[in-house]
Amino acid sequence: MTAPPEVAVIGAGAFGVRHVAAYRSLGVPVTALVDPDPTTRERVAAAHDVPRTFADVDDLLAAGAPQAASVCVPGPAHRAVAVRLLAAGVPVLVEKPLAATVRDAAAIVAASRTHGVLCQPGHILRHSAPHRALYDAVRAGRLGQVLAVSSRRDRPRTLSRLFPGEHPALLTAVHDIDLAIWYAQSPVVEVRAAARTRPGPAAPVLVWAELRHANDVVSSIRNSYLLPEHTPNHTQDLVEVYGTEGVAHVDLGHPAVLVAAESTEAPDWLLSPVDGGGALAAELRHFVGQVTGTDPSAVVPLADGLHVVQVATAVTESAAAGGVTRPITPEPLS
């Protein structure tokens, strides 16, 4: 049996903590935690028995490179962290989106190819059981020829406060862009989008995009940050695939567990529960398999991660230009 690699988690924010918990649930040793805030990193390390902590990646590498790493820092920092690790020969899983700009995403792809080191984009929904079941049905031809993909993702207004400078296209809509590419099995060649704001937030709170794929599948993507902060059903996610032989959908808008009290809670058990498991654990299990060579087929090829950033950027540009159509020339998808 191949021993799991010793992993470092870069970033001790909310999702970095979930990576640590998910690795531990898989029996994968997290031996280092990196975060610039000493109080945060020491608190998280103590809570999860992580033996070593570092302020930055250079300090980590100086003490000895890990065998793999999860990059869970904010998007604008992805390029610097991922490229530094790849250059040191460390396989990385980079949380979505691969980077905040096309140039940064392309630099990460180039570093992975130049150094011949694994880089896995962290698109978690490809590892979600219901989304995977829908993909398997599409691939098996049960819907016939795919004609269109439609998705809706509604979030509470909290996101405008927590991420005031981030465009929804590069924060939440990247999930739907990736699903559209995955289900259509074809890159996007054309984007037309609109965005709307509400009093207060600087960034848009509603994004509406229409995509055309190279195989003429059309995709519609709607994202909003308009739900009240204490909405009982705090997330509403729906994706539909239309084919010549039928229609199928995944609806996560009705959580299996809902505690509607003074503080409403709908546990995200399908994706990234705080104690490990779910789609995040499946994603990390696949990453570990990629690192060890026991799972050689990539669920999210690196080219797809770059293409998602290309499409998301085109969405922001089209919306800013009043809905002008933006063409895209993608690399062939793997």
Side-chain angles (χ1 to χ4, degrees):
M1 181 180 295
T2 303
E6 295 185 352
V7 176
V9 173
I10 319 299
F15 220 66
V17 171
R18 294 197 179 198
H19 272 243
V20 174
Y23 279 123
R24 286 173 58 85
S25 76
L26 296 171
V28 176
V30 178
T31 58
L33 181 67
V34 178
D35 195 275
D37 182 80
T39 302
T40 299
R41 68 175 183 263
E42 296 303 333
R43 173 179 53 79
V44 173
H48 295 277
D49 298 320
V50 180
R52 302 187 301 160
T53 68
F54 302 92
D56 57 43
V57 170
D58 286 339
D59 288 348
L60 167 71
L61 295 175
Q67 295 172 306
S70 278
V71 177
C72 304
V73 297
H78 281 188
R79 175 179 179 172
V81 172
V83 168
R84 183 73 180 90
L85 289 167
L86 291 166
V90 179
V92 294
L93 183 151
V94 181
E95 264 303 333
K96 66 84 187 167
L98 184 60
T101 68
V102 174
R103 178 174 292 184
D104 284 357
I108 293 172
V109 172
S112 176
R113 292 174 177 172
T114 297
H115 299 290
V117 180
L118 169 71
C119 178
Q120 177 179 315
H123 286 286
I124 191 172
L125 295 187
R126 294 200 191 192
H127 299 272
S128 157
H131 292 94
R132 185 82 198 182
L134 177 52
Y135 173 77
D136 290 343
V138 169
R139 289 283 289 176
R142 294 180 60 193
L143 301 181
Q145 178 186 346
V146 175
L147 301 175
V149 180
S150 174
S151 63
R152 185 194 73 219
R153 186 173 304 274
D154 296 328
R155 291 290 181 268
R157 299 167 193 167
T158 315
L159 269 69
S160 293
R161 174 168 49 81
L162 296 177
F163 305 99
E166 296 196 43
H167 197 287
L170 283 157
L171 184 63
T172 53
V174 289
H175 287 299
D176 304 291
I177 293 168
D178 183 60
L179 289 177
I181 293 167
W182 197 38
Y183 291 136
Q185 288 295 287
S186 178
V188 175
V189 295
E190 193 173 86
V191 171
R192 187 170 183 269
R196 297 293 183 267
T197 59
R198 64 188 299 270
V205 295
L206 176 68
V207 175
W208 206 287
E210 303 296 328
L211 317 178
R212 184 173 67 83
H213 298 258
N215 61 357
D216 279 336
V217 170
V218 292
S219 295
S220 175
I221 291 172
R222 290 94 68 203
N223 273 218
S224 80
Y225 302 165
L226 294 171
L227 298 177
E229 294 209 10
H230 300 294
T231 302
N233 189 358
H234 77 300
T235 60
Q236 298 185 37
D237 301 352
L238 172 69
V239 60
E240 302 165 300
V241 178
Y242 296 83
T244 55
E245 303 300 324
V247 179
H249 75 264
V250 171
D251 185 358
L252 300 186
H254 305 284
V257 179
L258 178 64
V259 179
E262 183 175 346
S263 176
T264 298
E265 181 185 4
D268 185 15
W269 64 275
L270 279 172
L271 302 181
S272 55
V274 294
D275 57 350
L280 179 58
E283 179 179 54
L284 299 187
R285 184 184 299 110
H286 172 65
F287 174 56
V288 169
Q290 290 266 283
V291 172
T292 60
T294 59
D295 192 356
S297 180
V299 172
V300 189
L302 187 53
D304 291 23
L306 170 58
H307 187 46
V308 168
V309 179
Q310 290 178 314
V311 176
T313 301
V315 168
T316 67
E317 292 173 347
S318 174
V324 173
T325 299
R326 293 289 188 188
I328 299 175
T329 306
E331 293 187 21
L333 298 184
S334 302

